[in-house]
């Protein structure tokens, strides 16, 4: 799909001049260098003010156009409480009076105008004088490119790109479907890999493409998820304190460089998910906070507008223009960057007015409750708008509470997300595997409880960046025991994850057993792959990913009750679990056996859903995975012995700390 720059001839309106000070510099009269011009129609204004304009990026901000035979840039900014607005930049020596914008006559609060003879690459800000006399220099909320931090100015740019990912886009509905395999590699661009010549230097979007794509293809992940790549002034925020919502971070290159990365991923059948942060924004003076001298984007009352956890500011979801801004931003990344999904950050903090607040620190809703009704309404509208425009993408909620219907359609009363992070599964699983295996029998229900509610939502199983920072230890060092047991435990946990119902998400480095906590300032420890335990871990995750993608029983019914069945759930004494995953076809079943202790279990009988010949198609204890290579019969036949509620069964020798995946096969067939 090709995105082309469009030059439009839009009729001029009759805006009110910005005021007498725009007509003088150093008390000398001048002609205002800004031409009265508008790209906004009356219908645009109506949609904007009613919160229904979902493509504001086509109207507000800066746009290079041709007007009456002259090329220049049209500027438009929403600042309803300003008494004066001008464009300042290198082109006018940052003179606050030289290029004053015109305020529209329709009380929309939009200031606009056309400045001839400036174009792409021009650095600028808006100078705003509030009605109270406060003078501010603000970056453009709709800017498509920003200067590289710590500089904070906006840059006139465009999103023109000649896309060549047509095949992916036409077939994306299949790759993104809830009935398809969905295995996500979560990554932070600045610390996945640094320049080998200079570890302090970021790799750009194009260099990352060269290194990332072969790795993802080898490992078998279906999607990558980039932690926020929208422009953010403070690198240690990991991107979650966004200032430039419409700008790809200039730390790694231009917007077109990011488009190239996404395009190359698509051409290699890899989907792209972006972290999106509509929950809060930083209080940097150059950005959204008190944009026109008043609390324009945020609530004025800190009990509603200030986030105590992140020391940031909460969007006013009840303000229509703010809703238009946020939903336009979501649509922007899906439209202009061909993104395949948005993972929405901190949804729980949006849903509840008392989130992380003590009594007296929050304001109840109009019914006296704790739910944020405006945020709930906004999230529903966001999902409806996204799926109406792009029915083949996914929205994914990071939501940690029991709020009902997060991933259920809006028309049934849900929030409308495609998926929800299964935070309960993550917490219970990690706590269980942190236990010394000798104690696991006392915590058996912790590892089985997730299936009680596994199908109440469309869940994604996340082992994310949040679990390997701030003293929580790396994933490998959460595991108990000596070196061999640590790696065996982690391989076993990943086997459990990939065979549990739901989509999958694994943070970068976890796939090879990164030993140190994630550090945003350093590359991952790729040298660890020179050592057998880490190489084996990587091979095990690779094997699980490829098996997950090839065995439809593991994904066709990931979100349906009849896609899963316990065979043995009560053997807490030996800490063994046996369960079945089912595909659409009645005979398409896999049996998973997990031995959660370092004690081998010889002659362990398991029930089987069908008679016939069975084969071990995955064994986390294989020597190639740095396993023990415990003697295990690779194929066997069922016996007509009723066991664990099944008419057929078989006896296996279970290796220590091992996950096995079994599949029925035709022994007489040439190919299995």
């Amino acid at each position: 799909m090709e995105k082309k720059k469009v030059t439009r001839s839009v009729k001029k309106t009759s805006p009110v001049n910005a005021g007498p000070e725009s007509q003088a510099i150093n008390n000398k009269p001048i002609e205002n260098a800004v031409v009265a011009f508008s790209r906004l129609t009356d219908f645009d204004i109506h949609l904007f003010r009613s919160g229904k304009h979902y493509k504001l990026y086509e109207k507000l901000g800066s746009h290079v156009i041709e007007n009456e035979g002259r090329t220049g840039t049209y500027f438009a900014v929403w600042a309803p409480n300003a008494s004066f607005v001008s464009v300042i930049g290198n082109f006018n020596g940052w003179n606050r009076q030289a290029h004053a914008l015109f305020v529209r006559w329709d009380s929309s609060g939009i200031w606009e105008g056309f400045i001839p003879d400036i174009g792409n690459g021009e650095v600028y800000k808006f100078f705003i004088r509030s009605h109270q006399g406060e003078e501010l220099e603000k970056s453009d909320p709709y800017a498509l490119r920003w200067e590289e931090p710590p500089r904070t100015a906006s840059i006139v740019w465009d999103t023109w790109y000649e896309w060549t990912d047509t095949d992916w886009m036409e077939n994306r509905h299949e790759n993104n479907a809830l009935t398809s395999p969905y295995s996500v590699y979560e990554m932070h661009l600045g610390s996945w890999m640094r320049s080998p010549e200079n570890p302090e230097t970021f790799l750009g979007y194009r260099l990352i493409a060269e290194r990332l794509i072969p790795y993802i293809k080898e490992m078998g992940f279906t999607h990558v998820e980039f932690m926020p790549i929208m422009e953010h002034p403070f690198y240690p925020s990991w991107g979650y304190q966004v200032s430039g919502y419409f700008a790809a971070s200039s730390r790694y290159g231009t917007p077109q460089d990011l488009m190239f990365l996404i395009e190359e991923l698509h051409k290699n059948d890899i989907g792209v998910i972006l972290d999106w942060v509509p929950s809060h924004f930083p209080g940097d003076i150059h950005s959204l906070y008190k944009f026109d001298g008043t609390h324009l984007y945020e609530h004025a009352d800190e009990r509603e507008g200030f986030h105590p956890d992140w020391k940031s500011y909460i969007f006013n979801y009840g303000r229509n223009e703010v809703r238009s801004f946020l939903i336009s931003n979501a649509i922007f990344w899906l439209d202009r960057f061909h993104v395949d999904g948005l993972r929405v950050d901190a949804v729980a903090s949006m849903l509840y007015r008392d989130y992380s607040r003590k009594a007296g620190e929050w304001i109840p809703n109009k019914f006296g409750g704790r739910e944020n009704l405006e945020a709930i309404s906004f999230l529903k509208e966001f999902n409806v708008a996204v799926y109406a425009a792009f029915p083949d993408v996914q929205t994914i909620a990071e939501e940690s509470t029991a709020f009902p219907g997060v991933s259920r359609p809006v028309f049934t009363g849900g929030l409308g997300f495609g998926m929800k992070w299964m935070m309960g599964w993550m917490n219970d699983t990690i706590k269980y595997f942190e236990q010394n295996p000798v104690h696991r029998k006392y915590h058996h229900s912790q590892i089985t409880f997730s299936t009680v509610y596994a199908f109440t939502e469309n869940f994604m199983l996340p082992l994310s960046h949040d679990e390997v920072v701030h003293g929580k230890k790396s994933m490998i060092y959460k595991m108990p025991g000596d070196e061999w047991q640590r790696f065996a435990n982690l391989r076993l946990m990943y086997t459990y994850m990939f065979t549990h119902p739901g989509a999958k998400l694994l943070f970068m480095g976890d796939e090879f057993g990164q030993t140190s906590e994630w550090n945003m300032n350093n590359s991952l420890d790729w040298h660890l792959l020179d050592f057998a335990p880490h190489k084996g871990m990587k091979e095990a995750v690779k094997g699980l990913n490829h098996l997950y993608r090839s065995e439809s029983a593991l994904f066709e019914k990931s979100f349906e009750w009849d896609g899963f069945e316990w065979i043995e759930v009560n053997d807490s004494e030996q800490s063994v679990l046996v369960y079945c995953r089912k595909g659409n076809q009645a005979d398409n079943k896999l049996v998973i056996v997990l031995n959660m202790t370092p004690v081998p279990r010889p002659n362990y009988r398991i029930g089987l859903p069908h008679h016939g010949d069975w084969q071990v198609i995955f064994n986390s204890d294989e020597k190639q995975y740095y396993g023990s290579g415990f003697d295990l019969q690779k194929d066997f036949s069922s016996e007509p012995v009723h066991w664990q509620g099944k008419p057929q069964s078989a006896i296996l020798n279970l290796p220590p700390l091992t996950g096995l995946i079994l599949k029925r096969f035709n022994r007489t067939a040439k190919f299995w």
Side-chain angles (χ1 to χ4, degrees):
M1 183 184 297
E2 183 178 349
K3 299 291 181 189
K4 294 185 177 179
K5 183 162 52 181
V6 177
T7 301
R8 299 184 180 182
S9 178
V10 182
K11 68 176 182 179
K12 296 181 183 179
T13 60
S14 301
V16 177
N17 193 279
E21 65 181 295
S22 66
Q23 304 297 307
I25 298 178
N26 297 326
N27 298 317
K28 295 180 180 180
I30 64 166
E31 180 182 355
N32 187 7
V34 178
V35 177
F37 181 85
S38 181
R39 300 182 78 213
L40 291 154
T41 67
D42 291 343
F43 188 53
D44 285 322
I45 299 301
H46 168 73
L47 291 175
F48 174 54
R49 298 180 74 172
S50 60
K52 302 297 182 183
H53 203 310
Y54 301 151
K55 287 194 173 183
L56 284 174
Y57 52 89
E58 294 180 347
K59 302 292 183 175
L60 299 186
S62 59
H63 301 271
V64 177
I65 62 169
E66 184 177 313
N67 178 38
E68 296 184 349
R70 298 185 71 181
T71 299
T73 300
Y74 166 77
F75 293 91
V77 62
W78 179 51
N81 300 295
S83 63
F84 175 77
V85 178
S86 65
V87 183
I88 56 177
N90 292 334
F91 67 95
N92 64 7
W94 299 88
N95 188 307
R96 293 177 169 182
Q97 279 74 48
H99 291 85
L101 297 179
F102 300 91
V103 64
R104 287 184 62 89
W105 58 271
D106 52 19
S107 302
S108 63
I110 293 174
W111 299 71
E112 60 185 349
F114 172 77
I115 303 178
D117 304 324
I118 65 172
N120 279 352
E122 203 67 61
V123 174
Y124 72 99
K125 283 187 177 182
F126 292 117
F127 169 70
I128 298 174
R129 176 174 288 115
S130 73
H131 284 299
Q132 292 73 34
E134 186 176 3
E135 296 186 339
L136 304 163
E137 293 186 359
K138 291 289 189 175
S139 304
D140 183 356
Y142 291 87
L144 302 175
R145 189 178 177 190
W146 285 42
E147 289 185 299
E148 185 173 346
R151 293 175 295 178
T152 59
S154 304
I155 301 175
V156 177
W157 207 255
D158 60 44
T159 54
W160 185 89
Y161 190 76
E162 196 165 346
W163 289 91
T164 60
D165 62 348
T166 305
D167 288 347
W168 169 270
M169 296 299 288
E170 289 180 350
N171 296 294
R172 180 168 68 174
H173 63 283
E174 296 179 3
N175 299 317
N176 251 4
L178 294 178
T179 53
S180 296
Y182 213 96
S183 179
V184 180
Y185 186 66
E186 183 194 28
M187 58 180 295
H188 177 257
L189 282 177
S191 57
W192 179 71
M193 186 180 289
R194 294 285 182 95
S195 168
E197 294 77 22
N198 183 2
E200 300 299 314
T201 303
F202 296 123
L203 293 180
Y205 295 118
R206 290 178 180 266
L207 287 177
I208 287 172
E210 292 179 11
R211 292 158 173 79
L212 176 65
I213 291 167
Y215 185 72
I216 296 298
K217 289 192 71 174
E218 176 197 357
M219 292 302 295
F221 290 97
T222 65
H223 293 70
V224 294
E225 179 181 320
F226 296 134
M227 292 168 66
I229 48 82
M230 299 79 182
E231 195 59 82
H232 50 284
F234 187 51
Y235 179 70
S237 76
W238 309 339
Y240 291 100
Q241 298 273 5
V242 180
S243 52
Y245 272 80
F246 291 84
S249 179
S250 54
R251 293 174 175 88
Y252 313 110
T254 68
Q256 284 73 17
D257 292 335
L258 174 58
M259 292 173 182
F260 173 82
L261 169 58
I262 294 171
E263 177 181 73
E264 290 301 304
L265 286 162
H266 283 173
K267 288 161 71 174
N268 286 275
D269 295 322
I270 302 165
V272 179
I273 303 166
L274 297 186
D275 270 17
W276 186 56
V277 192
S279 48
H280 62 112
F281 61 89
D284 297 71
I285 194 62
H286 68 275
S287 191
L288 295 179
Y289 176 65
K290 293 190 72 174
F291 186 78
D292 61 357
T294 65
H295 296 282
L296 190 61
Y297 287 88
E298 71 277 9
H299 291 275
D301 192 322
E302 289 202 350
R303 291 174 295 174
E304 294 181 284
F306 182 73
H307 204 298
D309 282 355
W310 303 306
K311 313 303 179 191
S312 54
Y313 294 87
I314 299 169
F315 284 103
N316 183 349
Y317 305 109
R319 188 161 197 168
N320 287 337
E321 295 89 345
V322 173
R323 292 165 78 105
S324 285
F325 169 80
L326 288 171
I327 296 177
S328 291
N329 184 243
I331 297 293
F332 169 79
W333 292 103
L334 299 167
D335 174 20
R336 297 295 175 86
F337 284 80
H338 287 200
V339 169
D340 306 295
L342 297 172
R343 177 267 194 187
V344 183
D345 183 63
V347 171
S349 74
M350 299 171 66
L351 295 176
Y352 298 101
R353 288 171 169 263
D354 63 344
Y355 186 89
S356 288
R357 299 178 189 272
K358 299 175 183 177
E361 296 179 348
W362 59 282
I363 301 174
N365 63 37
K366 62 183 181 181
F367 301 113
R370 55 193 285 259
E371 295 81 7
N372 188 329
L373 303 179
E374 294 81 9
I376 291 169
S377 171
F378 161 74
L379 289 170
K380 291 180 178 182
E381 184 177 351
F382 149 74
N383 278 308
V384 168
V386 164
Y387 281 111
F390 300 96
D392 54 355
V393 304
Q394 292 292 343
T395 62
I396 305 162
E398 186 215 13
E399 206 284 315
S400 55
T401 74
F403 191 93
V406 172
S407 60
R408 294 294 178 256
V410 171
F411 66 82
T412 67
L415 292 182
F417 285 94
M419 284 183 268
K420 168 183 171 173
W421 273 22
M422 198 175 188
M423 309 293 277
W425 173 89
M426 177 198 70
N427 290 322
D428 287 345
T429 297
I430 289 176
K431 287 177 182 177
Y432 178 85
F433 275 92
E434 284 176 333
Q435 295 289 337
N436 187 312
V438 73
H439 298 139
R440 285 178 181 169
K441 62 183 178 181
Y442 304 114
H443 301 271
H444 195 71
S445 62
Q446 198 165 44
I447 200 67
T448 62
F449 178 67
S450 62
T451 57
V452 172
Y453 63 96
F455 306 100
T456 58
E457 301 274 5
N458 298 334
F459 280 118
M460 175 177 282
L461 314 181
L463 294 174
S464 73
H465 64 276
D466 278 327
E467 307 317 306
V468 291
V469 290
H470 300 323
K472 294 180 182 178
K473 298 183 288 190
S474 65
M475 203 60 70
I476 189 66
Y477 280 128
K478 295 179 190 292
M479 301 295 108
D482 57 22
E483 181 188 63
W484 185 89
Q485 290 190 25
R486 287 182 188 275
F487 281 89
N489 268 299
L490 192 55
R491 293 193 305 271
L492 172 59
M493 188 175 82
Y494 290 161
T495 306
Y496 168 63
M497 173 186 180
F498 273 88
T499 57
H500 190 286
K504 327 296 175 188
L505 180 139
L506 198 61
F507 184 58
M508 64 181 198
D510 290 347
E511 77 277 12
F512 62 79
Q514 170 95 3
T515 52
S516 59
E517 284 191 343
W518 170 51
N519 185 338
M520 67 196 167
N521 293 312
N522 298 322
S523 170
L524 294 180
D525 294 330
W526 294 103
H527 65 277
L528 292 175
L529 288 172
D530 293 335
F531 301 96
H534 298 277
K535 183 178 180 181
M537 180 63 66
K538 176 190 168 215
E539 289 300 309
V541 173
K542 174 181 171 181
L544 284 166
N545 257 325
H546 285 280
L547 185 71
Y548 170 59
R549 296 179 65 162
S550 63
E551 294 295 336
S552 58
L554 292 175
F555 60 77
E556 284 183 338
K557 294 188 174 184
S558 275
F559 310 105
E560 300 177 35
W561 284 101
D562 59 354
F564 176 89
E565 180 185 3
W566 281 114
I567 295 176
E568 176 53 80
V569 67
N570 295 317
D571 190 2
S572 58
E573 187 61 34
Q574 297 186 88
S575 296
V576 172
L577 295 175
V578 186
Y579 51 91
C580 181
R581 291 297 309 278
K582 307 174 186 180
N584 290 332
Q585 302 300 318
D587 60 348
N588 183 15
K589 297 178 181 178
L590 299 178
V591 172
I592 294 87
V593 186
L594 307 178
N595 179 11
M596 305 292 199
T597 72
V599 179
R601 302 294 181 191
N603 301 317
Y604 192 94
R605 184 174 289 276
I606 63 169
L608 294 169
H610 293 294
H611 76 281
D613 299 320
W614 291 78
Q615 180 187 24
V616 178
I617 61 172
F618 181 83
N619 173 10
S620 69
D621 190 51
E622 293 278 7
K623 285 188 175 180
Q624 63 176 319
Y625 304 146
Y626 192 63
S628 69
F630 184 86
D631 186 25
L632 174 68
Q633 188 174 355
K634 298 297 178 64
D635 59 83
F636 53 91
S637 299
S638 67
E639 301 171 334
V641 176
H642 195 279
W643 199 257
Q644 296 171 342
K646 299 298 178 185
Q648 296 284 315
S649 62
I651 291 176
L652 295 179
N653 293 327
L654 304 185
L657 291 172
T658 297
L660 303 175
I661 304 176
L662 315 177
K663 183 180 182 179
R664 196 167 62 147
F665 73 100
N666 184 352
R667 191 180 294 275
T668 61
K670 184 176 181 181
F671 299 107
W672 295 349

